[in-house]
Amino acid sequence: MNLTENETKTKLESVDWEKVHQEILPWALPTFDEEKCFDLVLHAAKTWVPEDFAEGCSVGAVEELRVDGLFKGFADVTVVRSPEYMKIIDWKTTGSVDAAWKTAHAKGWQALWYGRLWWQEAQAAGLPLIVEFRGIERGGGRTRVVPVPFTEDSLGRAEALIKLVVGLREHGQLRADGSECYAYGRPCEYLKKRCDAEGDDFTNEEYVTITTAPISPTSAKRIFACPRKNFLYQLDKLRGKTEEAKFTAGVNEKATFGNAFHSGIGEVYRQLGERNAST
């Protein structure tokens, strides 16, 4: 049974909301977006705290990076409700939680990746494993949940997929079909100056590092779409040209907002989880 309205209110009143706000600030959002982000964090907490912190639930690691062989994933939070389930929660801020959004996550690779990473832990505990995507619209705050069960069949598909992706990654100079060069109606950032050229100079050490590193679901999709783009992206990252620099330069405002939201809701769950563990 979930928390009652009064129990939820008491839980949320125990949160240090100034600390939550401090977690959002470093992302340097415009004032309006900063306030909107804080409001969405509060809205998400009111929506899901009653379920995740109900009696019998245990909230595990918040913002946990896990690596197992070639698989790499970053879970926003894990929730165990014995004997019903182990959930790997992934928050998603989005423009719309419509049917297309639901399908993209129900059929996406991320669920296979995260399920593969937490499979053994769920099996050891004797619990069904679910990767759950929780979407919240940046505009109106409408929410949607997409639970994706992970089974032995899913495990087989994850292992087959990683072999395919690893094989493509080894061919770092392989260009994608031309349609990928203008995906989402804009040219690839590497198209003119670097992709059409013979390629960047790189050392054998850099090549080995890039082609043997663990792979996140985001990297897997990039490799599958265009091995060359992934290679150039990872080369930039290896040399210190990071995504964080792009965020602070305002290149990807939606991603910045999403990261700020994750920092805020992560702080809420961290505080409540620590409080539960100490009682």
Side-chain angles (χ1 to χ4, degrees):
M1 183 180 296
N2 292 349
L3 297 177
T4 66
E5 185 176 340
N6 284 338
E7 288 171 333
T8 302
K9 182 180 178 182
T10 300
K11 281 276 186 192
L12 295 181
E13 286 176 346
S14 72
V15 172
D16 185 339
W17 290 100
E18 181 55 34
K19 281 188 177 180
V20 175
H21 188 223
Q22 290 300 316
E23 288 295 319
I24 293 172
L25 284 178
W27 292 99
L29 298 173
T31 302
F32 173 76
D33 282 346
E34 181 185 305
E35 293 172 354
K36 183 166 65 172
C37 184
F38 184 86
D39 288 343
L40 280 187
V41 169
L42 179 58
H43 180 48
K46 288 178 178 178
T47 302
W48 284 295
V49 161
E51 174 185 341
D52 294 339
F53 289 89
E55 186 174 350
C57 286
S58 173
V59 174
V62 176
E63 298 179 339
E64 178 187 0
L65 173 65
R66 184 167 290 198
V67 178
D68 184 1
L70 285 169
F71 289 88
K72 180 174 77 172
F74 192 87
D76 292 331
V77 65
T78 58
V79 179
V80 170
R81 190 168 191 163
S82 187
E84 297 176 45
Y85 55 72
M86 172 185 285
K87 281 185 180 180
I88 311 304
I89 308 298
D90 193 74
W91 308 102
K92 300 287 187 186
T93 58
T94 181
S96 174
V97 289
D98 58 10
W101 182 90
K102 176 184 176 183
T103 300
H105 291 88
K107 298 181 180 294
W109 290 359
Q110 188 175 356
L112 289 176
W113 240 252
Y114 285 16
R116 165 62 174 75
L117 284 164
W118 272 267
W119 173 252
Q120 290 186 352
E121 185 176 332
Q123 287 290 289
L127 293 170
L129 179 60
I130 299 170
V131 179
E132 185 168 285
F133 300 100
R134 294 177 174 177
I136 184 165
E137 291 182 354
R138 290 184 296 271
R142 190 163 63 116
T143 61
R144 189 166 197 165
V145 174
V146 180
V148 184
F150 190 88
T151 63
E152 285 194 23
D153 180 62
S154 308
L155 183 64
R157 286 188 284 127
E159 296 292 355
L161 183 58
I162 193 72
K163 290 179 182 178
L164 175 62
V165 171
V166 167
L168 284 171
R169 181 173 67 171
E170 292 174 358
H171 301 281
Q173 301 307 309
L174 180 65
R175 292 177 175 84
D177 176 80
S179 61
E180 279 297 321
C181 299
Y182 285 87
Y184 307 108
R186 61 176 62 182
C188 169
E189 61 191 287
Y190 299 110
L191 181 60
K192 295 298 181 185
K193 292 185 178 179
R194 296 169 70 183
C195 188
D196 288 343
E198 286 301 313
D200 286 33
D201 290 332
F202 53 87
T203 66
N204 184 64
E205 183 180 358
E206 287 175 326
Y207 175 81
V208 171
T209 299
I210 290 169
T211 57
T212 58
I215 301 171
S216 70
T218 302
S219 293
K221 287 185 282 187
R222 190 187 303 113
I223 292 166
F224 195 77
C226 181
R228 183 165 174 74
K229 178 177 181 177
N230 177 73
F231 186 84
L232 293 172
Y233 174 89
Q234 297 297 347
L235 189 62
D236 279 353
K237 189 174 180 181
L238 195 59
R239 293 173 175 176
K241 300 174 183 178
T242 64
E243 278 296 292
E244 285 73 16
K246 293 182 182 179
F247 291 154
T248 55
V251 172
N252 197 334
E253 291 84 358
K254 291 179 182 178
T256 309
F257 186 95
N259 277 276
F261 173 86
H262 278 76
S263 296
I265 194 67
E267 177 62 22
V268 173
Y269 271 64
R270 193 175 293 109
Q271 288 186 35
L272 292 178
E274 290 172 355
R275 204 161 279 123
N276 268 13
S278 63
T279 58

